[in-house]
């Protein structure tokens, strides 16, 4: 559904939850004295008889709370969920892709996409990548069914998602390392099943690149604060600081080579985890 369908929203069927929200607005209006009992009863009867948004909207149009309007009830677009908000990532629907095939080739499902209730993939002398770190989910439990014959499929899940691996391998295998790790409250559950013959299905848990980059920046900021605090403590303890200490260029003075090498090693370690 797109914005082009917006003019037709008043004709969409209303749900019981929509009618209850309008009834709640009417009850509040009665309690505040905005409606008398006769008006309340008449509008409440119209509410429970209403079948579409077009019939519901006029009932509360003259009240301070706008009541149920189509844009508030029906989300036309899935907005990016806040980090860690699992409820916002379980969106319902059919999923944006339900299958993938790699024969002497490869496939990818990554970035912002909606995982269906059941996703099926097949890899023969090829490979596939299924990345769920930025994905939405059609249900609280989704199943990924993999068939890998002399090929492989790599599945990446974000922290907090529960993973259950039920696949069967013959001269091949399914990665079981993430099985049994408890998920966060409200997080989706991913069930990995299927069959691997002379092939394999790997499952790994990894943060998004943006999250790892933010952690790296946070670590650097913490180190800077620690160094600044150490300098302040040294000054307060009365230890003399070398004159012009803050002006000594990098690369001069004892121990610089060792410190530079340590920083370089740390940067290389962090870059290795960027993917």
């Amino acid at each position: 559904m797109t914005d082009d369908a917006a003019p037709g929203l008043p004709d969409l069927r209303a749900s019981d939850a929509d009618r209850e929200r309008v009834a709640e607005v009417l009850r509040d209006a009665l309690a505040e004295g905005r409606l008398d009992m006769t008006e309340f009863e008449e509008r409440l009867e119209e509410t429970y008889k209403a079948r579409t948004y077009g019939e519901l909207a006029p009932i509360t149009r003259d009240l301070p709370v706008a009541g149920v309007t189509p844009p508030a009830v029906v989300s036309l677009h899935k907005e990016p969920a806040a980090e860690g908000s699992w409820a916002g990532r379980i969106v319902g629907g059919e999923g944006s892709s339900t299958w993938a095939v790699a024969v002497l080739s490869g496939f990818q499902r990554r970035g912002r996409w909606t995982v269906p209730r059941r996703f099926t993939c097949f890899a023969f002398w090829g490979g596939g990548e299924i990345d769920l770190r930025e994905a939405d989910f059609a249900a609280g439990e989704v199943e990924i069914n993999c068939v890998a014959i002399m090929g492989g499929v790599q599945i990446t899940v974000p922290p907090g998602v529960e993973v259950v691996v039920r696949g069967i391998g013959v001269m091949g295998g399914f990665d079981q390392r993430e099985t049994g790790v408890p998920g966060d409250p409200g997080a989706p559950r991913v069930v990995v099943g299927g069959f691997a013959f002379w092939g394999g299905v790997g499952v790994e848990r990894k943060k998004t690149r943006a999250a790892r980059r933010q952690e790296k920046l946070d670590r650097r900021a913490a180190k800077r604060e620690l160094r600044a605090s150490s300098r302040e403590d040294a000054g307060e303890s009365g230890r003399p600081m070398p004159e012009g200490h803050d002006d000594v260029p990098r690369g001069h003075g004892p121990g610089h080579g060792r410190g530079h090498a340590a920083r370089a090693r740390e940067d290389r370690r962090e870059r290795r985890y960027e993917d």
Side-chain angles (χ1 to χ4, degrees):
M1 185 179 296
T2 65
D3 287 339
D4 295 335
L9 279 173
D11 297 326
L12 291 180
R13 304 283 290 188
S15 68
D16 289 340
D18 299 329
R19 285 183 279 272
E20 274 302 318
R21 281 191 284 271
V22 172
E24 187 62 30
V25 173
L26 295 177
R27 294 187 190 101
D28 291 343
L30 176 66
E32 295 167 358
R34 300 182 190 277
L35 296 176
D36 59 31
M37 183 57 69
T38 302
E39 291 175 313
F40 169 76
E41 291 176 349
E42 290 174 351
R43 296 194 188 198
L44 191 63
E45 184 178 0
E46 292 176 9
T47 298
Y48 288 116
K49 286 182 179 179
R51 292 291 176 266
T52 65
Y53 290 138
E55 294 172 352
L56 278 177
I59 296 174
T60 56
R61 185 170 291 160
D62 60 345
L63 297 176
V65 179
V68 176
T69 59
V73 177
V74 179
S75 177
L76 302 182
H77 295 287
K78 177 68 185 77
E79 298 296 333
E83 186 73 20
S85 177
W86 291 114
R89 294 178 63 175
I90 301 176
V91 298
E94 298 297 325
S96 54
S97 176
T98 59
W99 60 275
V101 174
V103 178
L104 298 173
S105 61
F107 69 81
Q108 283 186 337
R109 296 293 184 275
R110 63 187 305 177
R112 178 68 66 175
W113 66 296
T114 301
V115 186
R117 295 173 186 270
R118 182 180 174 87
F119 182 87
T120 302
C121 60
F122 175 77
F124 175 72
W125 279 21
E129 178 186 0
I130 302 173
D131 192 334
L132 309 182
R133 289 176 293 175
E134 298 179 13
D136 296 322
F137 297 82
E141 179 172 308
V142 298
E143 181 179 350
I144 299 178
N145 187 55
C146 304
V147 178
I149 300 176
M150 293 182 285
V153 177
Q154 182 64 40
I155 301 172
T156 305
V157 300
V161 169
E162 181 184 1
V163 179
V164 178
V165 180
R166 297 174 179 166
I168 299 173
V170 176
M171 292 185 287
F174 280 74
D175 192 343
Q176 299 281 343
R177 287 176 298 175
E178 298 300 335
T179 296
V181 178
D184 291 343
R189 186 173 188 241
V190 178
V191 179
V192 179
F195 176 73
F197 176 72
W198 279 18
V201 176
V203 182
E204 66 175 341
R205 194 180 303 273
K206 187 185 293 187
K207 295 180 180 179
T208 62
R209 185 172 299 178
R212 294 197 305 275
R213 187 179 300 116
Q214 184 61 48
E215 286 184 351
K216 179 179 178 180
L217 294 175
D218 291 343
R219 286 196 302 269
R220 288 182 174 176
K223 289 178 182 177
R224 285 196 296 269
E225 292 178 3
L226 181 61
R227 286 196 294 267
S229 177
S230 299
R231 285 196 295 268
E232 290 175 1
D233 291 344
E236 291 174 358
S237 65
R239 289 201 299 265
M241 300 293 287
E243 184 176 353
H245 170 75
D246 292 335
D247 297 329
V248 175
R250 293 186 179 272
H252 295 76
H256 167 76
R258 290 192 299 274
H260 179 75
R263 285 193 297 272
R265 284 196 299 272
E266 180 181 349
D267 289 341
R268 285 197 297 272
R269 275 198 306 271
E270 291 175 342
R271 282 197 294 270
R272 280 202 300 269
Y273 290 100
E274 282 296 313
D275 293 321

